[in-house]
Structure formats: structure tokens, C-alpha cells
Amino acid sequence: PGAGKGTQAALIKEAYNIKHISTGDMFRKAISEKTPTGIEAKSYIDQGKLVPDSVTNKLVRERLSEKDCENGFLLDGYPRNLAQAEELDKILKDLGIKLDAVINVSVDDNFLIERITGRRTCTKCGASYHISFNKPKVEGICDDCKTPLISRVDDTKESYETRYNVYMTETKPVIEYYKNLGKLIEIDGSKSPEETLKVIENILGVNNG
Ligand code: AMP
């Protein structure tokens, strides 16, 4: 949480012109639309816990089966535990899709709280800003869709602590899983969004086609 995966995902989406599939954004949309998935997910998200795999995996399988994912996509925030990583293997196998790369954006723990509590998010398009490090052009307004920015319900110090613990116990083992498969790319996320993007682009060869 707070490493900048959503910010990088949004930038990579532009560079590759591919779909950006963020489970966090999908849940937030479902919550605002009060769908059954949103209603179920809300209490977990507000507390900083993972939404149960049964709900999350179904959502991802359905989304990746849609036609606009045929030419590639970037998953953001999924898989978040080993069971989800195994389920993703099954989903990709069923859809005949090859996983190209897994990017782990890491940042020193000390920076994360500041990033999380200073984050401002667009409720419409999900774009993420920061009150000091990544300011919108007009304070409190999304650059792209001009919607007012908010501080997410789970971007508090208390929820951050739970999210961090969930990360350490449930998500961290996923790094080893993809390292063993030879898919893992490690990125230092402590630089500016633009600098971090350049490193990712160079590694993925986005400028070389
Ligand atoms: P994010 O926007 O990626 O920081 O996700 C926000 C919250 O949504 C997380 O703290 C979880 O509560 C929930 N969430 C997002 N992705 C997943 C996932 N893959 N599995 C379970 N819960 C998730």
C-alpha cells in the first residue's frame, strides 16, 4: 500500500494503450453503485482487510474474459495472496493468455504512511495524486475529468497499519512465487512517478515496441 502501483499502472496503460484492471478501483466502483459485490466488499476494504478470494477471483475472471482484454491488460493489485496467484494461473490458462511480466514496486516503509495519508483520489476515474509529491494542476480537482478529489476511507493511519500487516503476511509470499517462475521485475518506487515510469519502460522495452 502506497508504493505507487496505481500511479504506475495508469501511466503504463497510456504508454501501451492497454486496459488497466485495478481490483481496488473495481471494488470502489461497485461500492459507489451499491452492487451486491460492493456491499459485500465494503466492510473489508474500510478495515484495510482483503476482500474474500471467492468474491475477488470471480470479479477478475469475469473482467478478463471480456473482449477488450483480448489484446493485453495490466492487472493492478491482483493477485494479492498465493491462492489468487494460483487462480490467476488457471484463469489465464482457460483464456489462452500468457503472463509476460510481474512488477514489484518497492518503497522503504518509512515513506509509505506519508504517501498514504497525503494521497487524494478521483472518485470518477480513480486517478491518484498527492498533496506534496504529485499535485493536481488545480488543488483538489482531477486533471483529467475535473472531478473533486477525496481522501480514500482506507487511507487513514489505522487502516494503513492493517493493510501493511496484510501485505507482509499474505501478499509478500507472492513475490517469491513469481520469482520462481522467472517473471519478476523488481523496481525501486522511491523516485518520482516519471522517473519510476522510465525505469519500467526501459525494462519492458515499451519504447522499442
Ligand atoms: P488498492 O486500491 O489496490 O489499494 O486496494 C484497496 C483495497 O481493496 C484493499 O485494501 C483491499 O481491501 C481491496 N482489494 C483490492 N484488491 C484486492 C485483491 N486482489 N484481493 C482482495 N482484496 C483486494
Side-chain angles (χ1 to χ4, degrees):
K5 64 184 176 339
T7 300
Q8 289 306 315
L11 295 170
I12 294 168
K13 168 188 103 169
E14 295 294 324
Y16 275 101
N17 193 22
I18 54 171
K19 286 288 150 186
H20 169 199
I21 317 264
S22 154
T23 39
D25 284 351
M26 286 163 83
F27 283 133
R28 282 183 286 276
K29 185 163 181 280
I31 290 170
S32 72
E33 291 171 354
K34 298 194 169 58
T35 67
T37 300
I39 291 163
E40 184 163 6
K42 188 174 181 336
S43 62
Y44 296 97
I45 293 182
D46 287 355
Q47 292 175 65
K49 294 182 181 161
L50 291 188
V51 177
D53 290 346
S54 55
V55 179
T56 309
N57 289 338
K58 184 164 173 279
L59 192 75
V60 171
R61 181 179 279 274
E62 282 171 4
R63 183 64 189 91
L64 298 187
S65 306
E66 284 176 31
K67 197 150 178 56
D68 63 348
C69 287
E70 270 177 3
N71 294 327
F73 50 82
L74 173 71
L75 273 172
D76 164 8
Y78 180 95
R80 245 170 161 111
N81 61 25
L82 283 175
Q84 291 183 8
E86 283 161 9
E87 178 62 18
L88 179 62
D89 285 345
K90 285 193 203 130
I91 297 172
L92 296 179
K93 189 161 177 265
D94 292 346
L95 295 173
I97 295 169
K98 180 179 143 278
L99 179 69
D100 294 309
V102 175
I103 303 176
N104 180 35
V105 184
S106 31
V107 172
D108 192 285
D109 301 4
N110 299 321
F111 292 128
L112 295 176
I113 268 274
E114 202 183 352
R115 283 197 178 185
I116 291 264
T117 51
R119 171 155 62 186
R120 297 294 178 268
T121 307
C122 175
T123 45
K124 192 166 173 216
C125 72
S128 185
Y129 300 88
H130 190 279
I131 51 169
S132 315
F133 312 134
N134 186 18
K135 294 182 187 174
K137 292 192 184 97
V138 179
E139 196 185 322
I141 303 289
C142 177
D143 290 350
D144 295 330
C145 61
K146 316 296 176 210
T147 305
L149 304 174
I150 57 136
S151 180
R152 276 169 40 181
V153 190
D154 58 342
D155 276 348
T156 59
K157 192 169 176 293
E158 296 70 35
S159 169
Y160 166 76
E161 275 159 16
T162 311
R163 287 160 73 197
Y164 182 78
N165 289 334
V166 167
Y167 172 82
M168 292 308 273
T169 52
E170 299 196 47
T171 308
K172 211 160 179 245
V174 176
I175 298 176
E176 206 57 35
Y177 181 85
Y178 287 114
K179 201 184 265 177
N180 291 337
L181 291 178
K183 300 276 185 195
L184 191 75
I185 297 171
E186 297 268 14
I187 300 285
D188 168 13
S190 61
K191 310 265 164 46
S192 71
E194 294 73 25
E195 283 173 287
T196 308
L197 176 67
K198 275 208 190 87
V199 175
I200 295 177
E201 282 184 339
N202 282 338
I203 293 176
L204 293 180
V206 71
N207 293 322
N208 311 319

